[in-house]
Amino acid sequence: MKKTSLYLLLLLTVELIAQNNSFSPGEIWKDTDGIHINAHGGGILFDRGIYYWYGEHKGTSNNAQVGITVYSSNDLYNWKNEGVALAVSKNPNSEIVTGSVMERPKVIYNAKTKEYVMWFHLELKGQGYAAARTAVATSSSPLGPFVYLKSYRPNKETWPLNYNEKWKKAPKDGEPQKWWSEKWYKAVKEGLFVRRDFVEGQMSRDMTIYVDDNGKAYHIHSSEENQTLHISELTDDYLGFTGKWARIDPGGQNEAPAIFKKDGTYYMITSGLTGWDPNAARSFKANSILGPWTPLGNPAKGKDSNLTFYSQSTFILPIQGKKDAFIFMADRWTPKTPIDGRYIWLPIKFKEGKPVIEWEKRWKINQFFK
Ligand code: DGJ
């Protein structure tokens, strides 16, 4: 064999060995350049045969210094860094200026407008988590660059569908002032914060987007001081809210919503509310996306399931070309060194009509899904 052919063969072998052919949850996950993937709180879009993974770029702090990254793959194991999909702005007057907080980006494609639409949780620079806004950007390509449009608190001056007429007004003896008291918990369930934010718009923190089979898109987010999830229908161009919305598990303290549909039933997996620290996941099901949603308990089973294997949900990925094949995607946060955060991807199984997630040290798609 000629020297050059031998060299090429060697290169090919090295390349093949370097490729991933399984998932190793919690380990360093190298992209095709050999660098740990930097796409936290992520979500995935499947478009024209390619998966795109969007996520938060993290450095040494949680504040956005770079923006939202995008990676591409055709096998879900190997990801190519495609750069920054939505960059932070250098303009101090921009809402997405360097140092703002940009979390949990989700991208969907709108066939009518032919635009890729990115929604994400935005916190304005220097305000901690007080702004509680949802933000939207668009692009004509899945790789970006996305152009930032606006951010706001949704559902201004509209009441939820599943809301008692009586809760539109404060109770006769006034709103409870002391947080975490029995009276306060009851008032939260009965719309304390919905009333408070009626004029300004409802808070929107941890979020996801779901596109149903009929093309209608929904925005699901933690609202009411993270005490209650809201689900809202988006307009046909996916750029705004129609005003049709519902509350899920009032007072239940759910974060990190992720949603999927199987055999006509909607399932949702969420986390509890403990900041960056892991807690036990929860699950729900519904026949209609706007609810009612029935709680199904912690889908995680086995060792460390009470902490969801030290992770928090971010997205549920349907595997293309396979029936009922869903991957639970979660983040193992490392708030002291955010860039080092790990990805926990696990197969979703079904037992007695409920989603079940069990730990796998290393796994392949074909092991679980036909
Ligand atoms: C938990 C959320 O799920 C994360 O996305 C992030 O907002 C942290 N809280 C901030 O403490």
Side-chain angles (χ1 to χ4, degrees):
M1 212 185 273
K2 274 203 189 140
K3 247 190 191 168
T4 41
S5 326
L6 198 69
Y7 178 69
L8 283 177
L9 189 72
L10 196 74
L11 266 186
L12 193 73
T13 319
V14 169
E15 184 130 307
L16 280 178
I17 292 172
Q19 281 201 351
N20 302 316
N21 58 11
S22 59
F23 300 112
S24 302
E27 302 292 315
I28 289 281
W29 192 346
K30 290 184 180 166
D31 65 14
T32 52
D33 296 327
I35 297 168
H36 182 48
I37 294 172
N38 198 335
H40 308 267
I44 289 185
L45 167 75
F46 181 75
D47 187 59
R48 285 156 244 242
I50 300 176
Y51 294 96
Y52 297 93
W53 176 353
Y54 302 87
E56 307 159 21
H57 176 279
K58 295 224 189 248
T60 50
S61 84
N62 187 53
N63 295 342
Q65 303 296 319
V66 171
I68 305 302
T69 49
V70 56
Y71 291 76
S72 68
S73 172
N74 49 29
D75 64 4
L76 295 174
Y77 302 124
N78 296 285
W79 291 90
K80 177 170 183 265
N81 185 352
E82 301 278 8
V84 182
L86 173 66
V88 292
S89 170
K90 301 260 176 300
N91 177 352
N93 299 320
S94 166
E95 291 178 348
I96 56 164
V97 62
T98 313
S100 59
V101 171
M102 295 162 76
E103 291 183 348
R104 298 183 176 271
K106 305 289 174 291
V107 174
I108 53 179
Y109 177 66
N110 189 302
K112 285 189 193 135
T113 62
K114 301 201 167 26
E115 276 189 320
Y116 294 83
V117 180
M118 177 191 289
W119 285 90
F120 61 98
H121 167 201
L122 176 73
E123 296 294 346
L124 302 175
K125 186 181 176 182
Q127 299 187 18
Y129 278 79
R133 293 189 187 197
T134 188
V136 62
T138 57
S139 168
S140 57
S141 156
L143 298 178
F146 280 78
V147 176
Y148 180 69
L149 297 183
K150 59 188 171 186
S151 79
Y152 57 101
R153 286 193 174 186
N155 297 323
K156 215 173 154 152
E157 293 179 348
T158 56
W159 296 110
L161 297 168
N162 53 351
Y163 200 69
N164 197 315
E165 201 52 37
K166 284 194 287 200
W167 301 343
K168 293 187 177 171
K169 287 208 181 83
K172 282 202 190 74
D173 54 348
E175 305 282 22
Q177 299 303 311
K178 206 170 156 282
W179 282 43
W180 317 120
S181 64
E182 221 173 281
K183 210 171 161 195
W184 180 87
Y185 279 114
K186 183 167 179 287
V188 169
K189 282 192 187 151
E190 298 179 354
L192 166 64
F193 295 121
V194 178
R195 286 190 292 276
R196 185 196 69 182
D197 295 336
F198 186 73
V199 174
E200 197 193 341
Q202 302 294 322
M203 299 177 99
S204 181
R205 292 203 181 110
D206 278 14
M207 51 73 64
T208 194
I209 302 283
Y210 179 76
V211 183
D212 211 340
D213 306 332
N214 60 5
K216 280 247 171 270
Y218 297 85
H219 186 290
I220 301 112
H221 59 270
S222 291
S223 190
E224 302 180 32
E225 303 286 354
N226 294 345
Q227 302 299 304
T228 298
L229 282 175
H230 291 179
I231 177 161
S232 310
E233 188 185 75
L234 292 182
T235 50
D236 285 349
D237 60 7
Y238 299 166
L239 300 179
F241 286 67
T242 63
K244 203 170 163 191
W245 66 285
R247 300 168 82 210
I248 301 174
D249 194 20
Q253 305 189 323
N254 290 278
E255 278 198 311
I259 214 172
F260 68 107
K261 190 180 187 179
K262 181 183 165 298
D263 300 330
T265 302
Y266 301 90
Y267 294 89
M268 183 161 55
I269 297 182
T270 67
S271 76
L273 188 63
T274 51
W276 297 112
D277 295 334
N279 53 52
R282 294 102 177 265
S283 58
F284 300 84
K285 74 169 182 181
N287 293 328
S288 154
I289 191 152
L290 291 170
W293 287 83
T294 312
L296 299 175
N298 184 356
K301 304 287 172 217
K303 189 171 174 278
D304 299 327
S305 57
N306 58 335
L307 295 176
T308 320
F309 317 112
Y310 300 93
S311 73
Q312 186 184 30
S313 42
T314 183
F315 196 71
I316 291 164
L317 169 66
I319 306 177
Q320 297 302 313
K322 299 205 179 259
K323 194 175 164 349
D324 299 337
F326 300 96
I327 298 181
F328 171 75
M329 290 171 51
D331 293 280
R332 185 175 284 173
W333 304 113
T334 50
K336 288 197 181 119
T337 50
I339 192 173
D340 194 36
R342 305 298 169 88
Y343 309 101
I344 307 297
W345 287 27
L346 292 167
I348 297 187
K349 303 166 191 166
F350 265 81
K351 286 185 190 158
E352 292 156 10
K354 296 181 187 176
V356 166
I357 307 163
E358 287 167 317
W359 180 251
E360 302 290 335
K361 194 171 164 12
R362 181 179 292 257
W363 66 281
K364 292 180 192 241
I365 292 169
N366 289 344
Q367 243 176 287
F368 294 95
F369 307 118
K370 295 274 160 283

